[in-house]
């Protein structure tokens, strides 16, 4: 489906859709009644959201969908994944086609305000970079004046790219294509000198799409901050809380050393914090309209943030991305959950 | 007898108003119109409600904001500091550029192939048939992907660019060719060209009048060609015959200087022209077949050559059959150009899509796209209808 068709559908569904969809509290009830979470994800981005050889969805963004399903429905498999292009994703959420968006989407002021979205947190701190073929002999993004750069439409990337070339008084020749696969294809075919995207995405392209990863080099400059995270529609505070705290629960679990392997044993832990998080004592879940076992279900079925990171992006994956900014705050990173009490 | 007719008369006059055909016809239309108006009012108010309840900004104010994204090719100057309105105009001009060129080229190919399919030369006819049947039945989007990947994958990188003619370079980045260094002489040549066309038109008019009056033929074609080519050539010679050319040079990543045609534009143009050309060929073939064979026989009996029969007798009659379906094909080509977004040509839909995505204003963006395509399509069909009326058989009803 082309972006235009999607955008038209969205425009139409905003017109026809019932007003009640945006009323407070209804998304959670709708998900419970449906018995299934509808989660907007990437069409295929290795490490973040992609269908594997068996057709099962995998990635750190997919784990976010699973965590919310585990918290709300007690089953991480009750998710319907809707693959969305960069163009279609925001309007798909606005129009109510999906319950939440978990698709490496950058948190920006405009999206948070005028676009009617609420970002529930950051599950990956990224920055925009450039990748070139090694044989081009380029070692810095500052040397790219006059270069043709492949970029995907409908991304903050496209704006940062124009800003970077303007700020450095360099000449830019963009090739702007809608589909991620087509952009990558155009770059690999040599239509462009460089491709620009979030650094993690470049790593994914290099590891997964290039014939020989060693022939390509990611330039050292990061030209932007790209905090990626899940988002929901504005106007539904309860649902906003559910998605936000599902992410925090994964981060908190890592900090407390709770993993999918030891969480059952931890139920008997004498630590009052752990008892509260796992719902042995207290009423943390009730306040959000969830079962008190919500966090236990997330940790048991999906694992903590660190587990998710390692299997999708870290040493357990082809990408081998170090934690960097995405380490816990206790290890010098930015991952920090407010107190769960 | 009187009683019966009286009875009839009373039956007619006593029809209640809700059974009167004329009143009912008006009533139905009023009801339908009111229904449509209500539906539109519902949609508009519901849309505004939904947008405001989701805190999505509305209105066309975003058009004056800075666009902030770059566009790869543009007919008019553009840079990312310009407004969204400006970038939409850039997209519109790109759409018009590819549509106008596409319509001209598809008409040429369609006419040639349509005639060729009826050729008595077996090979020519089969070749034309294979082209038509082969390309007509493959979705145009796939054809665009095919041409795009053919151009980008099969052609070498700029540093190994093919150099078929001096100064002309063909690579995966597109075609580069020398551009004359513009000067006052070139402006004079432009004026001479316009003058040549005007004089040639006058000559053609005069020659037709004379032929209709006296039956004498005049070599209009050769004289017109001489005028149109000759006058600018004279202007060029008198201007000192400037020959300076801006030749493309490999500098840094790519060629600079000269004029270029990008792979995106080429793939889109080739795809649209070859696809629409097949339909136009079939329309032309149908138009020619619609002219009674007796016309051809009569023409041949008068001693005209086959070419003359085609040009002077068959095609002028066929064109009356051809024009209405041809209009649809022109509209199709224009609308299909919106598939450009798939291969990265910045047409109206591509730039508007980006604007929608950066501002989140889908309803307004789609409204702009629809309004523009509606205007362009109605303009094309108005022009074609005018032309159709002009060439119609006068007085034949």
């Amino acid at each position: 489906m082309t972006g235009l068709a999607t955008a038209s559908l969205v425009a139409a569904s905003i017109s026809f859709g019932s007003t009640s969809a945006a009323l407070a509290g209804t998304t959670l009830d709708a998900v419970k009644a449906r018995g299934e979470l509808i989660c907007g994800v990437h069409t295929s981005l290795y490490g973040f959201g992609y269908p594997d050889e068996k057709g099962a969805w995998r990635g750190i963004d997919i784990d976010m969908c699973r965590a919310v399903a585990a918290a709300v429905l007690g089953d991480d498999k009750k998710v319907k994944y809707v693959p969305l292009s960069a163009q279609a994703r925001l309007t798909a959420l606005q129009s109510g086609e999906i319950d939440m968006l978990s698709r490496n989407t950058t948190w920006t002021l405009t999206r948070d305000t005028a676009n009617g979205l609420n970002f529930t947190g950051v599950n990956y701190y990224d920055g925009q970079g450039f990748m070139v073929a090694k044989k081009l002999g380029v070692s810095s993004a500052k040397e790219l004046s006059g270069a043709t750069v492949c970029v995907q439409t409908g991304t903050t990337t496209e704006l940062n790219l124009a800003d970077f070339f303007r700020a450095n008084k360099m000449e830019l020749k963009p090739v702007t294509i809608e589909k991620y696969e087509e952009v990558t294809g155009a770059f690999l075919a040599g239509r462009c000198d460089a491709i620009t995207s979030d650094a993690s995405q470049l790593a994914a392209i290099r590891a997964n799409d290039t014939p020989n990863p060693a022939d390509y080099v990611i330039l050292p400059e990061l030209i932007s901050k790209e905090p990626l995270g899940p988002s929901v529609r504005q106007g539904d505070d309860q649902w906003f809380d559910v998605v936000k705290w599902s992410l925090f629960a994964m981060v908190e679990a890592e900090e407390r050393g709770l993993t999918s392997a030891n969480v059952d044993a931890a139920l008997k832990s004498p630590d009052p914090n752990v008892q509260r998080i796992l719902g042995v004592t207290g009423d943390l879940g009730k306040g959000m309209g969830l079962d008190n076992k919500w966090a236990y279900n997330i940790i048991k079925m999906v694992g903590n943030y660190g587990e998710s990171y390692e299997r999708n992006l870290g040493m357990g994956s082809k990408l081998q991305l170090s934690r960097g900014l995405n380490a816990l705050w206790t290890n010098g990173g930015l991952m920090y959950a407010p107190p769960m009490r | 007898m009187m009683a019966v007719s009286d009875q009839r008369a009373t039956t007619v006059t006593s029809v209640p108003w809700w059974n009167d055909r004329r009143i009912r016809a008006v009533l139905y239309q009023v009801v339908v119109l009111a229904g449509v108006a209500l539906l539109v009012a519902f949609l508009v108010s519901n849309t505004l409600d939904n947008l405001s309840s989701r805190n999505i900004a509305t209105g066309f104010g975003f058009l004056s904001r800075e666009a902030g994204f770059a566009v790869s090719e543009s007919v008019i100057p553009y840079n990312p500091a310009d407004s969204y309105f400006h970038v939409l105009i850039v997209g519109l001009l790109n759409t018009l550029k590819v549509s106008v060129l596409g319509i001209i080229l598809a008409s040429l190919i369609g006419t040639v192939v349509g005639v060729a399919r009826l050729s008595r030369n077996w090979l020519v006819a089969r070749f034309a048939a294979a082209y038509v049947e082969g390309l007509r039945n493959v979705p145009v989007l796939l054809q665009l992907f095919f041409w795009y990947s053919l151009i980008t994958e099969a052609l070498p990188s700029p540093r190994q660019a093919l150099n078929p003619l001096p100064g002309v370079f063909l690579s995966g980045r597109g075609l580069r060719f020398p551009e004359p260094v513009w000067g006052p002489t070139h402006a004079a040549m432009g004026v001479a060209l316009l003058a040549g066309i005007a004089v040639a038109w006058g000559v053609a008019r005069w020659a037709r009048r004379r032929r209709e009056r006296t039956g004498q033929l005049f070599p209009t074609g050769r004289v017109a060609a001489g005028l149109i080519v000759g006058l600018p050539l004279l202007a060029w010679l008198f201007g000192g015959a400037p020959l300076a050319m801006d030749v493309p040079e490999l500098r840094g990543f790519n060629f600079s200087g000269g004029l270029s045609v990008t792979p995106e534009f080429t793939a889109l143009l080739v795809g649209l022209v070859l696809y629409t050309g097949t339909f136009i060929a079939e329309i032309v073939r149908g138009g020619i077949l619609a002219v009674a064979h007796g016309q051809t026989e009569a023409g041949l009996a008068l001693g005209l050559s086959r070419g003359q029969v085609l040009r002077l007798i068959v095609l002028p009659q066929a064109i009356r059959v051809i024009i209405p379906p041809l209009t649809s094909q022109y509209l199709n080509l224009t609308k299909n150009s919106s598939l450009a977004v798939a291969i990265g040509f910045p047409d109206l839909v591509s730039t508007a899509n980006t604007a929608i995505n950066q501002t989140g204003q889908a309803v307004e963006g789609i409204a702009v796209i629809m309004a523009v395509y509606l205007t362009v399509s109605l303009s094309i069909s108005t022009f074609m209808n005018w032309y159709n009326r002009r060439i119609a058989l006068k007085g034949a009803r």
Side-chain angles (χ1 to χ4, degrees):
Chain A
M1 190 191 282
T2 69
L4 180 63
T6 321
S8 319
L9 271 184
V10 163
S13 63
I14 290 178
S15 301
F16 282 100
S18 78
T19 320
S20 63
L23 289 183
T26 50
T27 309
L28 179 62
D29 294 339
V31 172
K32 280 180 176 168
R34 199 192 299 130
E36 190 177 53
L37 172 75
I38 303 179
C39 201
V41 297
H42 202 287
T43 49
S44 180
L45 175 59
Y46 186 83
F48 285 82
Y50 66 102
D52 67 11
E53 306 80 46
K54 297 189 188 88
W57 284 90
R58 300 203 181 283
I60 194 164
D61 287 337
I62 301 299
D63 283 355
M64 204 50 238
C65 303
R66 291 171 56 207
V68 173
V72 174
L73 303 166
D75 185 348
D76 70 314
K77 288 176 198 64
K78 289 185 175 167
V79 184
K80 182 181 165 196
Y81 296 101
V82 178
L84 295 168
S85 74
Q87 282 274 358
R89 61 185 165 174
L90 302 185
T91 28
L93 182 63
Q94 289 169 345
S95 66
E97 203 184 314
I98 53 177
D99 298 316
M100 62 179 280
L101 180 68
S102 183
R103 186 201 176 284
N104 70 325
T105 301
T106 307
W107 186 348
T108 69
L109 187 145
T110 309
R111 285 176 180 167
D112 209 346
T113 55
N115 287 15
L117 267 59
N118 269 342
F119 284 83
T120 61
V122 176
N123 69 340
Y124 191 84
Y125 287 95
D126 210 340
Q128 181 177 343
F130 294 90
M131 181 161 73
V132 295
K134 204 169 244 170
K135 63 170 195 272
L136 211 56
V138 170
S139 60
S140 159
K142 296 276 174 65
E143 297 167 24
L144 287 176
S145 185
T148 310
V149 183
C150 279
V151 61
Q152 199 180 358
T153 50
T155 54
T156 51
T157 316
E158 199 181 354
L159 301 180
N160 297 330
L161 174 69
D163 284 355
F164 177 74
F165 275 69
R166 266 159 85 190
N168 289 294
K169 301 206 165 41
M170 308 190 322
E171 191 198 342
L172 170 64
K173 294 189 187 121
V175 173
T176 322
I177 304 183
E178 186 190 1
K179 280 181 79 188
Y180 166 76
E181 292 81 359
E182 304 293 337
V183 180
T184 311
F187 169 68
L188 295 176
R191 172 65 185 102
C192 308
D193 301 303
I195 183 170
T196 184
S197 191
D198 295 346
S200 62
Q201 198 160 346
L202 296 178
I205 293 171
R206 186 167 70 166
N208 221 38
D209 299 325
T210 59
N212 180 12
D215 289 344
Y216 294 88
V217 53
I218 297 174
L219 300 178
E221 287 90 351
L222 291 185
I223 64 168
S224 69
K225 290 182 287 187
E226 305 285 336
L228 310 178
S231 52
V232 296
R233 267 182 302 282
Q234 274 185 19
D236 187 342
D237 287 355
Q238 185 187 29
W239 183 243
F240 179 46
D241 288 342
V242 166
V243 178
K244 179 167 58 184
W245 282 96
S246 296
L247 172 58
F248 285 146
M250 291 175 75
V251 175
E252 181 75 9
E254 185 183 8
E255 196 180 328
R256 303 260 170 216
L258 300 170
T259 67
S260 51
N262 70 15
V263 69
D264 281 321
L267 284 172
K268 295 180 199 75
S269 162
D271 184 340
N273 280 311
V274 171
Q275 291 206 332
R276 243 191 333 266
I277 294 167
L278 297 182
V280 180
T281 60
D283 260 342
L284 289 183
K286 287 268 174 352
M288 292 187 284
L290 299 179
D291 189 273
N292 279 332
K293 286 273 182 203
W294 67 282
Y296 165 83
N297 287 336
I298 293 177
I299 301 164
K300 176 76 187 164
M301 294 170 182
V302 186
N304 67 35
Y305 179 77
E307 289 179 82
S308 174
Y309 189 99
E310 287 311 317
R311 91 178 149 244
N312 294 306
L313 307 171
M315 295 309 147
S317 74
K318 268 195 265 185
L319 297 182
Q320 315 244 321
L321 294 170
S322 66
R323 283 291 286 268
L325 291 175
N326 297 295
L328 290 179
W329 67 290
T330 47
N331 298 331
L334 294 173
M335 282 296 163
Y336 182 100
M340 288 181 61
R341 58 184 315 133
Chain B
M1 292 298 275
M2 279 302 280
V4 173
S5 75
D6 270 350
Q7 212 173 6
R8 269 187 203 153
T10 44
T11 327
V12 171
T13 48
S14 75
V15 168
W17 66 270
W18 59 85
N19 269 344
D20 187 312
R21 252 172 97 177
R22 274 171 308 170
I23 294 181
R24 273 218 283 204
V26 172
L27 194 69
Y28 287 153
Q29 292 189 46
V30 168
V31 168
V32 168
L33 197 66
V36 171
L38 273 176
L39 182 68
V40 170
F42 164 75
L43 285 178
V44 169
S45 81
N46 203 28
T47 304
L48 292 177
D49 275 1
N50 284 345
L51 288 174
S52 71
S53 74
R54 285 163 203 185
N55 290 334
I56 299 170
T58 50
F60 288 92
F62 74 95
L63 286 177
S64 60
R65 292 213 306 265
E66 178 182 301
F69 60 91
V71 167
S72 57
E73 55 193 297
S74 165
V75 181
I76 52 172
Y78 167 80
N79 75 67
D82 290 325
S83 67
Y84 278 112
F85 182 74
H86 193 114
V87 81
L88 290 178
I89 297 292
V90 166
L92 171 61
L93 290 177
N94 278 338
T95 293
L96 292 180
K97 178 170 89 171
V98 80
S99 302
V100 169
L101 272 173
I103 283 174
I104 293 171
L105 293 176
S107 304
L108 287 176
I109 288 190
T111 310
V112 170
V113 175
V115 171
R117 226 186 145 169
L118 294 170
S119 168
R120 291 189 305 173
N121 181 323
W122 189 86
L123 195 64
V124 169
R126 289 298 125 175
F127 189 75
Y131 157 67
V132 168
E133 294 306 332
L135 289 190
R136 188 171 64 151
N137 296 309
V138 177
V140 63
L141 183 62
L142 288 183
Q143 296 190 31
L144 294 185
F145 282 135
F146 171 76
W147 293 115
Y148 188 54
S149 56
L150 192 73
I151 292 169
T152 50
E153 308 230 9
L155 291 173
S157 73
R159 285 173 198 185
Q160 284 91 42
L162 303 175
N163 194 352
L165 291 168
V168 177
F169 297 95
L170 188 62
S171 74
R173 300 291 165 77
L175 180 68
R176 279 253 171 195
F177 49 92
E179 177 189 16
V181 177
W182 297 105
T185 306
H186 293 101
M189 284 171 71
V191 173
L193 178 70
L194 290 181
I197 291 172
V199 175
W201 182 72
V203 168
R205 236 177 113 86
W206 168 81
R208 209 174 81 186
R209 289 257 178 79
R210 196 181 73 140
R211 194 194 68 218
E212 282 165 0
R213 216 176 45 242
T214 67
Q216 283 180 293
L217 288 174
F218 185 80
T220 316
R222 266 171 286 166
V223 170
L227 281 168
I228 292 171
V229 176
L231 284 181
L233 202 66
L234 276 177
W236 180 69
L237 284 172
F238 276 109
L243 268 176
M245 293 291 236
D246 184 11
V247 180
E249 248 184 293
L250 191 61
R251 199 178 302 149
F253 293 100
N254 201 350
F255 290 99
S256 60
L259 289 172
S260 71
V261 182
T262 63
E264 289 78 22
F265 178 76
T266 312
L268 183 64
L269 187 66
V270 169
L272 289 177
V273 163
L274 291 184
Y275 180 72
T276 314
T278 60
F279 291 92
I280 294 181
E282 289 295 88
I283 290 168
V284 168
R285 183 168 73 107
I288 292 173
L289 289 176
V291 178
H293 192 58
Q295 300 276 326
T296 308
E297 288 167 342
L300 291 174
L302 282 173
L304 298 176
S305 74
R306 284 208 165 261
Q308 282 174 319
V309 168
L310 186 69
R311 193 160 50 86
L312 300 172
I313 297 178
V314 178
L315 280 182
Q317 296 184 70
I319 202 151
R320 300 190 175 106
V321 182
I322 290 171
I323 290 294
L326 191 63
T327 308
S328 305
Q329 290 310 317
Y330 288 175
L331 296 180
N332 280 347
L333 187 144
T334 308
K335 288 182 285 187
N336 281 340
S337 73
S338 64
L339 295 169
V341 69
I343 53 168
F345 178 72
D347 76 324
L348 174 75
V349 173
S350 166
T351 53
N353 253 344
T354 307
I356 288 173
N357 224 273
Q358 303 298 0
T359 61
Q361 292 182 290
V363 176
E364 291 84 354
I366 296 291
V368 167
I369 296 176
M370 292 201 317
V372 169
Y373 274 97
L374 195 63
T375 311
V376 171
S377 295
L378 288 179
S379 307
I380 293 175
S381 58
T382 307
F383 172 78
M384 293 298 281
N385 284 335
W386 166 81
Y387 185 65
N388 194 26
R389 272 197 306 279
R390 212 183 93 94
I391 59 161
L393 285 174
K394 301 292 188 301
R397 292 268 166 237

